[in-house]
Amino acid sequence: MEGEQTVELIRVQLRKQRALAGMNQDEFGKRTNYSGSTVSAVETGTRPVDLPYARRADEILETGGLFESLLHTAQQSAQPVWFMPWLKAERAARQLRYFNPMLIPGLFQTENYARAVLRFDDTRPAQEIEQQVAARLERQEILRLERPPQIVAVIDEYVLRRSDAIMAEQLAHLLRMAELPFIHLHVIPASAGLHVGLDGPLSLARLPDGTWVGHLENHLGGEAADTEEKLATLLARWECVRAIALPEDLSIALIKEVESQHGPQ
C-alpha cells in the first residue's frame, strides 16, 4: 500500500473510531491532550499524523496499536527505495557512526530543520515533504530504545555556523542529544582546513553479528556499501575525520559557543 493511501486510511479510521466511541472532536481532544482544532486538522489532513498522536489515539480508542502500526507502514512507504537497506541496518545496529560535512545528521535533526532540508527540492509537493519529515522523525525512535545503539557523530564546524532562523533551535536540540550517555558528538574545527571528509557524507552501522554496513548519499540518491573493499575504504575515511575532530568536551564547548551567538530563542 502506498504511503498516501495509508495516511488517508489512518485519517478515515481516526474519524470512524472516534465517532464509534461517541466523542466529538473537542471531547476527543480533551481525552488525548490535544485541542479540538488539532484533532480537526489531523482528520482533514491539514496537519500530519505523528507518532505521539497515533499512540495517544490507540490508547484512548483502545485500538491495540492499530494507528501506530499504520503510521509505521506509511512512513516506510515514504522512504525512497534506495534508503531502505540502510534504514534496516540502522534499526538493528549496536553501533552507529555518522559524518556529514554539510548537514546535521538525520537522527539529530529537529522537525523544522528536517523540513528545511527536505524543501531543498522545490518540486516536491507539500504533502510529500510532510510525510518524509514524519518518516525522518520516526527514525529517531531508536534513540528511545531500552538498549539504544552507541552513536558517534562527527560534524563540521561550518555546519554549526550557518546563519539561519532555525539553527538556534537545532543547536539547543543537539546539546540535549549530547547529554545522552550513548551519544558522542565531535566537531571538526574550521582550523582543520581541507580534509578527506569533504568528499561527502558517510554512515556506518555495526550489526549484532559484528559485521559493518556502510551507506553513502549523493544528489541522485544513495547506495549501501557492504563489500569488504568498500567497507575498508569507509572505515579508513571515518578514522581520518574522527582523528582531526575535537575531543568530546571541546566539541560541546564549541557548540555552546556557537549557540550563544544566536541569542535567546
Side-chain angles (χ1 to χ4, degrees), residues 23-265:
M23 288 182 277
N24 62 33
Q25 291 177 337
D26 287 332
E27 290 168 335
F28 183 68
K30 289 178 182 177
R31 295 285 302 279
T32 55
N33 299 322
Y34 288 93
S35 66
S37 60
T38 296
V39 174
S40 175
V42 168
E43 293 183 359
T44 58
T46 57
R47 181 189 187 278
V49 184
D50 58 21
L51 197 55
Y53 190 99
R55 284 176 173 167
R56 190 65 179 143
D58 277 327
E59 180 182 346
I60 298 303
L61 298 172
E62 300 181 352
T63 43
L66 170 67
F67 295 115
E68 181 176 355
S69 178
L70 286 173
L71 184 60
H72 282 307
T73 299
Q75 290 171 343
Q76 287 180 359
S77 299
Q79 297 284 9
V81 174
W82 55 262
F83 193 64
M84 296 306 292
W86 171 253
L87 190 62
K88 182 178 179 181
E90 187 177 65
R91 288 174 176 168
R94 289 284 180 263
Q95 294 178 319
L96 290 165
R97 305 287 183 262
Y98 296 99
F99 169 71
N100 196 314
M102 302 300 292
L103 297 169
I104 301 294
L107 281 187
F108 304 139
Q109 291 179 5
T110 64
E111 179 178 344
N112 287 328
Y113 188 98
R115 184 174 291 110
V117 170
L118 290 166
R119 282 176 176 161
F120 289 168
D121 181 355
D122 57 11
T123 64
R124 258 185 202 149
Q127 186 175 18
E128 180 182 328
I129 289 175
E130 291 308 313
Q131 288 177 356
Q132 293 191 343
V133 168
R136 183 160 299 185
L137 296 179
E138 196 273 338
R139 283 174 58 200
Q140 299 173 6
E141 283 295 299
I142 66 171
L143 304 179
R144 291 175 276 277
L145 293 174
E146 184 177 348
R147 185 182 175 183
Q150 180 203 58
I151 304 173
V152 182
V154 176
I155 305 168
D156 201 286
E157 182 179 349
Y158 173 78
V159 176
L160 306 176
R161 292 195 179 278
R162 280 211 173 97
S163 179
D164 193 290
I166 62 175
M167 278 309 296
E169 175 193 44
Q170 178 61 67
L171 291 172
H173 179 69
L174 202 59
L175 289 169
R176 287 192 295 272
M177 292 295 97
E179 293 175 356
L180 298 173
F182 57 92
I183 292 178
H184 307 276
L185 299 181
H186 299 271
V187 178
I188 296 179
S191 59
L194 296 175
H195 57 82
V196 69
L198 295 176
D199 277 349
L202 64 89
S203 304
L204 288 156
R206 188 173 185 270
L207 302 180
D209 63 2
T211 59
W212 286 91
V213 173
H215 181 74
L216 293 167
E217 291 188 31
N218 54 52
H219 285 284
L220 299 179
E223 63 172 317
D226 51 10
T227 66
E228 185 175 345
E229 182 179 359
K230 289 180 178 179
L231 283 171
T233 299
L234 287 189
L235 286 165
R237 295 213 166 185
W238 166 260
E239 292 299 328
C240 287
V241 297
R242 174 65 188 85
I244 60 174
L246 295 172
E248 195 167 6
D249 58 340
L250 295 181
S251 296
I252 300 305
L254 179 54
I255 296 172
K256 288 180 178 178
E257 175 195 331
V258 177
E259 183 202 22
S260 69
Q261 294 170 4
H262 284 274
Q265 295 184 58

